[in-house]
Amino acid sequence: ALALYGVGNADSIFVAENLTPRRVRTNNTNRPNATGNGYLSEFRYLNLSARISRSVYERPFTLNLDYAFNPAASNERQGLVAMLTYGNHRNIGGARVAIQGFMVQADAVATVFANIDYIRTNQNGGGISLNYQPLENVELMWSAYATEWRDPALLVKPITRNTLRTRFRFQVQMRY
């Protein structure tokens, strides 16, 4: 899949709060311009996605790649997300494991990348998740992510200390 986006001189908080439909889920880390009323860079980015699926030992094995490039930015303009998944959790007793890695530079995209709330701009990181279906309409999901800022000085509110941040999530999904 290939997509081209254009975002003009807009304030990131305004975009996050007022975009309709609400596609922006969280604030991003894009740098503000000198007056603070918009972004430092313009965003006319190209988003290329690919998916390759094969069967391995009679279970699905999938590689997903998502690449973004912002030619309107002078630097910090690329992002890459890769995820490997194995297994199928759609049947009772089924399980799927996923491993993900990402590198997103500060001005690669204007919002959260790949529609995943853990992956923001100006971050490197990775994660693992496990999905299991114990009952017909019940799915258990466990995820763990670790991220760090690529360059803390490029944050909207710069910090001097960069630490590895972790997030864990356990979710029960029931379908009726």
Side-chain angles (χ1 to χ4, degrees), residues 53-142:
S53 296
R54 296 285 182 257
S55 181
V56 177
Y57 297 112
E58 298 181 8
R59 288 194 166 78
F61 178 78
T62 305
L63 170 63
N64 290 294
L65 296 171
D66 204 352
Y67 173 75
F69 178 74
N70 180 10
S74 57
N75 61 7
E76 294 289 321
R77 58 190 189 168
Q78 297 184 76
L80 177 66
V81 177
M83 182 166 60
L84 291 170
T85 59
Y86 180 70
N88 186 350
H89 65 287
R90 296 293 178 208
N91 300 318
I92 294 175
R96 181 179 70 179
V97 64
I99 299 171
Q100 183 177 56
F102 51 90
M103 177 282 304
V104 185
Q105 294 178 331
D107 290 338
V109 292
T111 185
V112 175
F113 191 37
N115 201 27
I116 299 172
D117 61 344
Y118 296 147
I119 303 175
R120 298 183 184 165
T121 58
N122 192 24
Q123 285 192 357
N124 290 334
I128 186 168
S129 66
L130 175 65
N131 295 34
Y132 176 69
Q133 184 147 357
L135 303 170
E136 184 176 348
N137 293 318
V138 177
E139 182 180 350
L140 306 176
M141 294 171 273
W142 174 82

XYZ file of all heavy atoms in Angstrom, residues 53-142:
703
model
N 3.035 -12.848 3.853
C 2.502 -13.933 4.685
C 2.854 -15.282 4.075
O 2.764 -15.464 2.863
C 0.978 -13.834 4.801
O 0.606 -12.669 5.470
N 3.235 -16.203 4.922
C 3.557 -17.573 4.517
C 3.034 -18.508 5.603
O 2.838 -18.119 6.748
C 5.072 -17.781 4.372
C 5.704 -16.956 3.290
C 5.359 -17.553 1.923
N 5.986 -16.817 0.861
C 5.352 -15.958 0.081
N 4.094 -15.692 0.270
N 5.974 -15.341 -0.895
N 2.912 -19.759 5.258
C 2.544 -20.769 6.233
C 3.806 -21.509 6.672
O 4.580 -21.975 5.832
C 1.552 -21.759 5.613
O 1.168 -22.722 6.552
N 4.031 -21.574 7.984
C 5.176 -22.278 8.550
C 4.632 -23.276 9.570
O 3.984 -22.867 10.538
C 6.175 -21.296 9.213
C 7.315 -22.053 9.851
C 6.683 -20.287 8.196
N 4.888 -24.538 9.351
C 4.345 -25.601 10.204
C 2.828 -25.466 10.357
O 2.282 -25.561 11.442
C 5.018 -25.620 11.575
C 6.493 -25.920 11.501
C 7.430 -24.946 11.825
C 6.952 -27.165 11.087
C 8.795 -25.210 11.749
C 8.311 -27.440 11.000
C 9.214 -26.461 11.337
O 10.551 -26.716 11.252
N 2.165 -25.181 9.245
C 0.710 -25.067 9.149
C 0.127 -23.930 9.988
O -1.042 -23.951 10.360
C 0.044 -26.403 9.509
C 0.443 -27.512 8.562
C -0.228 -28.839 8.896
O -1.123 -28.861 9.776
O 0.152 -29.836 8.280
N 0.954 -22.946 10.309
C 0.482 -21.748 11.012
C 0.956 -20.515 10.237
O 2.032 -20.519 9.656
C 1.025 -21.713 12.439
C 0.371 -22.728 13.337
C 0.695 -22.425 14.786
N -0.146 -23.135 15.697
C -0.020 -24.413 16.022
N 0.919 -25.136 15.459
N -0.834 -24.960 16.884
N 0.164 -19.435 10.281
C 0.566 -18.234 9.538
C 1.773 -17.524 10.155
O 1.854 -17.349 11.371
C -0.674 -17.341 9.584
C -1.552 -17.893 10.643
C -1.157 -19.307 10.891
N 2.699 -17.128 9.293
C 3.881 -16.341 9.659
C 3.819 -15.085 8.798
O 3.750 -15.167 7.574
C 5.154 -17.144 9.372
C 6.409 -16.388 9.676
C 6.863 -16.241 10.978
C 7.148 -15.810 8.651
C 8.026 -15.552 11.258
C 8.311 -15.120 8.910
C 8.753 -14.988 10.215
N 3.832 -13.910 9.436
C 3.634 -12.660 8.703
C 4.708 -11.641 9.052
O 5.056 -11.479 10.228
C 2.247 -12.065 9.017
O 1.249 -13.043 8.750
C 1.971 -10.832 8.186
N 5.203 -10.950 8.046
C 6.118 -9.819 8.215
C 5.394 -8.573 7.716
O 4.934 -8.521 6.573
C 7.403 -10.029 7.408
C 8.332 -8.817 7.298
C 8.859 -8.413 8.663
C 9.461 -9.103 6.327
N 5.257 -7.580 8.589
C 4.670 -6.283 8.229
C 5.753 -5.220 8.299
O 6.476 -5.144 9.299
C 3.549 -5.905 9.199
C 2.340 -6.774 9.046
O 1.668 -6.745 8.029
N 2.058 -7.568 10.058
N 5.852 -4.401 7.266
C 6.791 -3.279 7.238
C 6.011 -2.010 6.949
O 5.134 -1.992 6.084
C 7.853 -3.476 6.160
C 8.785 -4.664 6.334
C 9.635 -4.854 5.094
C 9.657 -4.470 7.556
N 6.346 -0.953 7.653
C 5.709 0.342 7.451
C 6.812 1.398 7.440
O 7.523 1.557 8.435
C 4.720 0.608 8.583
C 3.622 1.583 8.209
O 3.706 2.185 7.114
O 2.695 1.752 9.002
N 6.987 2.088 6.311
C 8.059 3.071 6.160
C 7.453 4.425 5.833
O 6.533 4.533 5.017
C 9.010 2.644 5.039
C 10.054 3.679 4.708
C 11.140 3.877 5.549
C 9.945 4.460 3.573
C 12.104 4.836 5.257
C 10.901 5.415 3.268
C 11.974 5.599 4.110
O 12.917 6.551 3.818
N 7.947 5.470 6.479
C 7.504 6.841 6.191
C 8.718 7.697 5.859
O 9.780 7.564 6.478
C 6.762 7.430 7.382
N 8.540 8.580 4.892
C 9.591 9.522 4.498
C 8.948 10.879 4.276
O 7.953 10.996 3.560
C 10.283 9.051 3.219
C 11.336 9.998 2.737
C 12.556 10.089 3.384
C 11.094 10.808 1.640
C 13.524 10.972 2.941
C 12.064 11.698 1.193
C 13.280 11.774 1.842
N 9.502 11.920 4.916
C 8.969 13.275 4.805
C 9.955 14.140 4.017
O 10.888 14.696 4.592
C 8.733 13.872 6.194
C 8.178 15.274 6.133
O 7.790 15.750 5.069
N 8.144 15.941 7.269
N 9.768 14.292 2.700
C 10.695 15.099 1.905
C 10.630 16.588 2.228
O 11.526 17.341 1.862
C 10.273 14.825 0.465
C 8.857 14.393 0.555
C 8.703 13.712 1.878
N 9.606 17.045 2.934
C 9.478 18.459 3.274
C 10.327 18.849 4.479
O 10.534 20.022 4.733
C 8.015 18.799 3.547
N 10.823 17.870 5.228
C 11.674 18.160 6.390
C 13.130 18.205 5.949
O 13.539 17.508 5.027
C 11.495 17.092 7.463
N 13.934 19.029 6.631
C 15.349 19.139 6.268
C 16.184 18.018 6.876
O 17.213 17.643 6.347
C 15.902 20.500 6.693
O 15.721 20.671 8.077
N 15.757 17.483 8.008
C 16.436 16.349 8.632
C 15.420 15.619 9.510
O 14.271 16.029 9.599
C 17.660 16.786 9.435
C 17.309 17.731 10.566
O 16.136 17.980 10.845
N 18.303 18.278 11.223
N 15.834 14.547 10.181
C 14.943 13.784 11.062
C 13.646 13.436 10.344
O 12.553 13.662 10.862
C 14.655 14.587 12.339
C 15.848 14.814 13.224
C 16.308 13.536 13.920
O 15.470 12.736 14.346
O 17.534 13.360 14.018
N 13.728 12.822 9.163
C 12.546 12.677 8.329
C 12.157 11.263 7.930
O 11.352 11.077 7.023
C 12.717 13.525 7.086
C 13.936 13.198 6.252
C 14.130 14.251 5.206
N 15.157 13.867 4.247
C 15.364 14.497 3.131
N 14.615 15.529 2.805
N 16.310 14.104 2.312
N 12.687 10.229 8.588
C 12.346 8.856 8.230
C 11.796 8.086 9.423
O 12.148 8.351 10.565
C 13.579 8.120 7.711
C 14.139 8.726 6.441
C 15.277 7.910 5.923
O 15.066 6.846 5.353
N 16.492 8.391 6.127
N 10.953 7.123 9.135
C 10.421 6.245 10.166
C 10.238 4.845 9.624
O 9.873 4.664 8.459
N 10.504 3.849 10.446
C 10.355 2.454 10.038
C 9.800 1.643 11.198
O 10.279 1.747 12.329
C 11.707 1.869 9.604
C 11.706 0.397 9.215
C 10.886 0.176 7.941
C 13.128 -0.095 9.021
N 8.796 0.857 10.898
C 8.214 -0.072 11.868
C 8.194 -1.444 11.207
O 7.751 -1.587 10.073
C 6.774 0.326 12.258
C 6.167 -0.696 13.209
C 6.750 1.709 12.868
N 8.695 -2.463 11.908
C 8.682 -3.831 11.401
C 8.080 -4.741 12.468
O 8.360 -4.589 13.655
C 10.095 -4.289 11.063
N 7.247 -5.691 12.034
C 6.637 -6.615 12.982
C 6.545 -8.014 12.371
O 6.105 -8.177 11.241
C 5.243 -6.144 13.395
C 4.606 -7.064 14.422
S 3.145 -6.389 15.258
C 2.038 -6.085 13.925
N 6.984 -9.001 13.145
C 6.854 -10.406 12.787
C 5.781 -11.030 13.673
O 5.808 -10.846 14.893
C 8.164 -11.156 13.033
C 9.331 -10.813 12.123
C 10.610 -11.452 12.665
C 9.067 -11.297 10.712
N 4.844 -11.745 13.074
C 3.834 -12.453 13.860
C 3.823 -13.918 13.443
O 4.068 -14.248 12.284
C 2.424 -11.863 13.659
O 2.079 -11.938 12.284
C 2.357 -10.438 14.136
N 3.521 -14.780 14.409
C 3.441 -16.208 14.133
C 2.297 -16.807 14.936
O 2.150 -16.548 16.129
C 4.747 -16.914 14.516
C 4.707 -18.399 14.244
C 4.703 -18.887 12.942
C 4.640 -19.300 15.288
C 4.648 -20.243 12.694
C 4.580 -20.659 15.041
C 4.587 -21.126 13.741
O 4.527 -22.474 13.480
N 1.477 -17.585 14.263
C 0.377 -18.263 14.922
C -0.961 -17.672 14.562
O -1.066 -16.681 13.840
N -2.006 -18.314 15.057
C -3.364 -17.879 14.784
C -4.175 -18.009 16.066
O -4.292 -19.091 16.622
C -3.978 -18.741 13.672
C -5.333 -18.243 13.251
O -5.927 -17.369 13.881
N -5.838 -18.798 12.166
N -4.738 -16.915 16.543
C -5.502 -16.922 17.783
C -7.007 -16.871 17.532
O -7.777 -16.576 18.422
C -5.071 -15.758 18.675
C -5.395 -14.429 18.079
N -4.714 -13.910 17.014
C -6.338 -13.526 18.396
C -5.228 -12.732 16.694
N -6.207 -12.477 17.510
N -7.450 -17.187 16.343
C -8.871 -17.096 16.008
C -9.679 -18.340 16.383
O -10.886 -18.339 16.284
C -9.038 -16.811 14.506
C -8.478 -15.477 14.096
C -9.287 -14.359 14.708
N -8.719 -13.080 14.345
C -8.814 -12.008 15.081
N -9.422 -12.022 16.220
N -8.276 -10.883 14.688
N -9.029 -19.417 16.774
C -9.730 -20.623 17.193
C -9.493 -20.849 18.680
O -8.480 -20.420 19.222
C -9.231 -21.834 16.399
C -9.449 -21.658 14.910
O -10.490 -21.180 14.483
N -8.457 -22.029 14.118
N -10.398 -21.572 19.329
C -10.231 -21.869 20.752
C -8.903 -22.599 20.954
O -8.588 -23.551 20.247
C -11.408 -22.716 21.269
C -12.698 -21.896 21.206
C -11.152 -23.186 22.697
C -13.937 -22.664 21.572
N -8.117 -22.112 21.896
C -6.798 -22.692 22.154
C -5.708 -22.140 21.261
O -4.539 -22.461 21.426
N -6.064 -21.278 20.330
C -5.078 -20.705 19.406
C -4.289 -19.583 20.056
O -4.762 -18.890 20.957
N -3.060 -19.416 19.603
C -2.191 -18.366 20.142
C -1.404 -17.714 19.011
O -1.162 -18.324 17.975
C -1.241 -18.946 21.178
N -1.034 -16.472 19.242
C -0.199 -15.743 18.278
C 0.811 -14.917 19.053
O 0.486 -14.268 20.050
C -1.062 -14.821 17.418
C -0.229 -14.046 16.386
C -1.090 -13.172 15.532
N -1.595 -12.065 16.335
C -2.371 -11.109 15.871
N -2.785 -11.136 14.633
N -2.769 -10.129 16.648
N 2.049 -14.921 18.601
C 3.097 -14.115 19.212
C 3.586 -13.109 18.162
O 3.611 -13.413 16.972
C 4.264 -14.991 19.749
C 4.976 -15.718 18.624
C 5.228 -14.174 20.575
N 3.927 -11.915 18.613
C 4.414 -10.873 17.705
C 5.625 -10.185 18.322
O 5.677 -9.964 19.531
C 3.322 -9.844 17.432
N 6.594 -9.882 17.473
C 7.782 -9.129 17.873
C 7.856 -7.914 16.964
O 7.708 -8.029 15.748
C 9.060 -9.974 17.743
C 8.974 -11.197 18.655
C 10.288 -9.143 18.064
C 10.085 -12.187 18.442
N 8.093 -6.734 17.566
C 8.073 -5.496 16.801
C 9.274 -4.634 17.133
O 9.728 -4.598 18.276
C 6.785 -4.751 17.136
C 6.585 -3.479 16.365
C 5.266 -2.856 16.706
O 4.986 -2.593 17.859
N 4.447 -2.617 15.704
N 9.792 -3.945 16.134
C 10.857 -2.969 16.323
C 10.529 -1.713 15.542
O 9.862 -1.769 14.509
N 10.987 -0.553 16.042
C 10.693 0.686 15.333
C 11.764 1.737 15.572
O 12.432 1.746 16.598
C 9.316 1.245 15.700
C 9.057 1.371 17.170
C 9.378 2.534 17.844
C 8.481 0.336 17.864
C 9.133 2.656 19.203
C 8.220 0.447 19.226
C 8.551 1.611 19.897
N 11.912 2.596 14.578
C 12.808 3.751 14.608
C 12.054 4.865 13.886
O 11.734 4.746 12.706
C 14.121 3.430 13.880
C 15.117 4.577 13.789
S 14.815 5.860 12.544
C 14.727 4.967 11.022
N 11.714 5.916 14.612
C 10.960 7.020 14.014
C 11.658 8.324 14.363
O 11.741 8.690 15.534
C 9.498 7.038 14.501
C 8.716 8.125 13.773
C 8.834 5.687 14.300
N 12.170 9.025 13.357
C 12.859 10.290 13.592
C 11.855 11.398 13.896
O 10.651 11.246 13.673
C 13.719 10.629 12.384
C 14.858 9.648 12.196
C 15.706 9.936 10.973
O 15.235 10.490 9.982
N 16.970 9.553 11.047
N 12.351 12.523 14.417
C 11.500 13.578 14.981
C 10.486 14.164 14.003
O 9.368 14.481 14.392
C 12.356 14.690 15.569
N 10.842 14.355 12.750
C 9.916 14.962 11.790
C 9.494 13.994 10.693
O 9.132 14.397 9.595
C 10.545 16.211 11.173
C 10.665 17.345 12.173
O 9.919 17.339 13.166
O 11.511 18.225 11.978
N 9.512 12.707 10.988
C 9.125 11.707 9.993
C 7.638 11.770 9.682
O 7.231 11.699 8.528
C 9.496 10.310 10.470
N 6.817 11.880 10.713
C 5.368 11.923 10.541
C 4.800 12.981 11.485
O 5.456 13.410 12.423
C 4.716 10.548 10.829
C 5.097 9.539 9.778
C 5.078 10.038 12.201
N 3.558 13.372 11.238
C 2.953 14.446 12.024
C 2.170 13.939 13.215
O 1.571 14.714 13.937
C 2.035 15.279 11.130
N 2.167 12.657 13.453
C 1.372 12.106 14.548
C 1.895 10.729 14.908
O 2.949 10.322 14.458
C -0.115 12.060 14.142
O -0.893 11.642 15.247
C -0.349 11.135 12.971
N 1.143 10.012 15.688
C 1.513 8.645 16.057
C 1.654 7.813 14.790
O 0.840 7.903 13.885
C 0.439 8.051 16.988
C 0.733 6.599 17.288
C 0.364 8.862 18.269
N 2.701 7.027 14.727
C 3.010 6.267 13.523
C 2.349 4.897 13.568
O 2.295 4.257 14.605
C 4.531 6.113 13.432
C 5.027 5.587 12.112
C 4.440 5.944 10.924
C 6.110 4.730 12.085
C 4.918 5.475 9.718
C 6.609 4.254 10.888
C 6.003 4.620 9.712
N 1.846 4.450 12.452
C 1.283 3.112 12.288
C 0.081 2.856 13.188
O -0.246 1.727 13.481
C 2.353 2.042 12.527
N -0.576 3.933 13.633
C -1.793 3.834 14.439
C -1.607 2.991 15.711
O -2.512 2.297 16.144
C -2.946 3.286 13.596
C -4.294 3.626 14.195
O -4.432 4.620 14.885
N -5.281 2.798 13.938
N -0.414 3.013 16.266
C -0.126 2.288 17.503
C 0.274 3.324 18.542
O 1.217 4.084 18.337
C 1.001 1.262 17.295
C 0.568 0.250 16.234
C 1.356 0.566 18.593
C 1.655 -0.671 15.807
N -0.410 3.348 19.665
C -0.186 4.427 20.626
C 1.193 4.378 21.275
O 1.626 5.351 21.866
C -1.271 4.444 21.697
C -1.321 3.170 22.516
O -0.748 2.153 22.105
O -1.956 3.198 23.573
N 1.921 3.279 21.188
C 3.253 3.216 21.772
C 4.310 3.863 20.876
O 5.370 4.227 21.336
C 3.676 1.770 22.014
C 2.824 1.041 23.009
C 2.583 -0.308 22.879
C 2.260 1.702 24.093
C 1.807 -0.989 23.796
C 1.475 1.032 25.014
C 1.262 -0.311 24.863
O 0.491 -0.975 25.760
N 4.037 3.957 19.594
C 5.059 4.414 18.653
C 4.815 5.872 18.313
O 3.868 6.211 17.611
C 5.046 3.551 17.380
C 5.249 2.091 17.752
C 6.126 4.017 16.414
C 5.126 1.150 16.596
N 5.668 6.734 18.813
C 5.562 8.164 18.539
C 6.800 8.621 17.793
O 7.753 7.880 17.639
C 5.404 8.918 19.860
C 4.137 8.521 20.581
C 3.952 9.298 21.825
N 2.766 8.811 22.511
C 2.487 9.085 23.754
N 3.295 9.846 24.452
N 1.396 8.622 24.305
N 6.793 9.870 17.397
C 7.951 10.406 16.700
C 9.133 10.556 17.647
O 8.969 10.656 18.854
C 7.609 11.771 16.065
O 7.172 12.650 17.089
C 6.522 11.629 15.030
N 10.336 10.561 17.082
C 11.584 10.751 17.833
C 11.823 9.616 18.830
O 12.282 9.841 19.939
C 11.571 12.115 18.541
C 12.923 12.502 19.097
O 13.962 12.047 18.634
N 12.913 13.344 20.115
N 11.488 8.394 18.434
C 11.663 7.259 19.338
C 12.270 6.054 18.630
O 12.040 5.837 17.450
C 10.329 6.813 19.933
C 9.814 7.715 20.994
C 8.655 7.074 21.747
O 8.201 5.985 21.438
N 8.171 7.769 22.750
N 13.029 5.285 19.395
C 13.471 3.940 19.018
C 12.847 2.993 20.022
O 12.645 3.366 21.184
C 14.993 3.792 19.112
C 15.707 4.575 18.054
O 15.176 4.850 16.987
N 16.934 4.946 18.347
N 12.579 1.779 19.614
C 12.049 0.838 20.583
C 11.653 -0.481 19.977
O 11.903 -0.761 18.807
N 11.036 -1.278 20.818
C 10.582 -2.587 20.390
C 9.561 -3.123 21.353
O 9.338 -2.564 22.437
N 8.944 -4.222 20.954
C 7.930 -4.799 21.808
C 7.657 -6.243 21.460
O 8.098 -6.756 20.432
N 6.923 -6.878 22.350
C 6.493 -8.252 22.147
C 5.059 -8.354 22.635
O 4.665 -7.687 23.600
C 7.416 -9.251 22.885
C 7.030 -10.688 22.536
C 7.418 -8.997 24.380
C 8.047 -11.714 22.982
N 4.266 -9.160 21.963
C 2.887 -9.365 22.412
C 2.487 -10.819 22.213
O 3.027 -11.520 21.355
C 1.912 -8.431 21.675
O 1.861 -8.753 20.311
N 1.540 -11.234 23.016
C 1.021 -12.593 22.955
C -0.493 -12.522 23.029
O -1.038 -11.856 23.917
C 1.561 -13.436 24.120
C 1.009 -14.853 24.234
C 1.415 -15.696 23.030
C 1.492 -15.499 25.522
N -1.163 -13.170 22.088
C -2.620 -13.243 22.080
C -3.012 -14.708 22.230
O -2.429 -15.580 21.595
C -3.188 -12.722 20.752
C -2.928 -11.266 20.539
O -1.896 -10.751 20.944
N -3.832 -10.592 19.874
N -4.034 -14.956 23.041
C -4.498 -16.315 23.280
C -6.007 -16.321 23.351
O -6.606 -15.415 23.940
C -3.907 -16.848 24.600
C -4.409 -18.220 24.975
C -4.034 -19.340 24.232
C -5.265 -18.387 26.052
C -4.508 -20.601 24.574
C -5.736 -19.640 26.401
C -5.357 -20.743 25.658
O -5.823 -21.984 25.986
N -6.640 -17.317 22.751
C -8.095 -17.404 22.763
C -8.524 -18.628 23.571
O -8.567 -19.741 23.059
C -8.649 -17.495 21.339
C -10.147 -17.494 21.313
C -10.711 -16.824 20.096
O -9.989 -16.295 19.279
N -12.012 -16.840 19.988
N -8.875 -18.431 24.869
C -9.267 -19.565 25.708
C -10.704 -20.044 25.464
O -11.008 -21.207 25.673
C -9.128 -19.023 27.128
C -9.362 -17.564 26.987
C -8.822 -17.191 25.631
N -11.581 -19.137 25.040
C -12.985 -19.446 24.778
C -13.377 -18.879 23.417
O -12.664 -18.053 22.850
C -13.879 -18.844 25.869
C -13.571 -19.256 27.308
C -14.355 -18.403 28.290
C -13.864 -20.733 27.512
N -14.560 -19.280 22.950
C -14.972 -18.887 21.605
C -14.977 -17.376 21.380
O -14.509 -16.896 20.366
C -16.354 -19.455 21.296
C -16.808 -19.171 19.885
C -18.138 -19.822 19.564
O -18.597 -20.674 20.336
O -18.712 -19.455 18.535
N -15.484 -16.608 22.310
C -15.607 -15.160 22.137
C -14.735 -14.362 23.096
O -15.005 -13.187 23.344
C -17.071 -14.727 22.284
C -17.925 -15.267 21.162
O -17.513 -15.256 20.011
N -19.104 -15.761 21.507
N -13.701 -14.957 23.639
C -12.821 -14.281 24.591
C -11.382 -14.367 24.097
O -10.896 -15.442 23.764
C -12.930 -14.910 26.003
C -11.960 -14.239 26.963
C -14.351 -14.813 26.518
N -10.728 -13.226 24.072
C -9.325 -13.169 23.655
C -8.520 -12.457 24.737
O -8.924 -11.407 25.232
C -9.209 -12.407 22.333
C -7.816 -12.332 21.800
C -7.755 -11.571 20.484
O -8.812 -11.271 19.887
O -6.633 -11.256 20.061
N -7.397 -13.043 25.124
C -6.495 -12.440 26.093
C -5.298 -11.885 25.345
O -4.725 -12.570 24.489
C -6.027 -13.483 27.118
C -7.121 -14.252 27.856
C -6.500 -15.301 28.757
C -8.003 -13.310 28.650
N -4.921 -10.649 25.662
C -3.797 -10.007 24.977
C -2.829 -9.432 26.006
O -3.251 -8.725 26.921
C -4.302 -8.894 24.063
C -5.141 -9.395 22.914
S -5.934 -8.062 22.018
C -7.426 -7.877 22.964
N -1.559 -9.733 25.850
C -0.506 -9.213 26.715
C 0.536 -8.551 25.829
O 0.971 -9.126 24.832
C 0.118 -10.340 27.518
C 1.301 -9.923 28.318
C 1.297 -9.322 29.531
C 2.672 -10.064 27.952
N 2.586 -9.078 29.944
C 3.441 -9.530 28.984
C 3.324 -10.588 26.834
C 4.836 -9.503 28.946
C 4.702 -10.556 26.781
C 5.439 -10.022 27.847
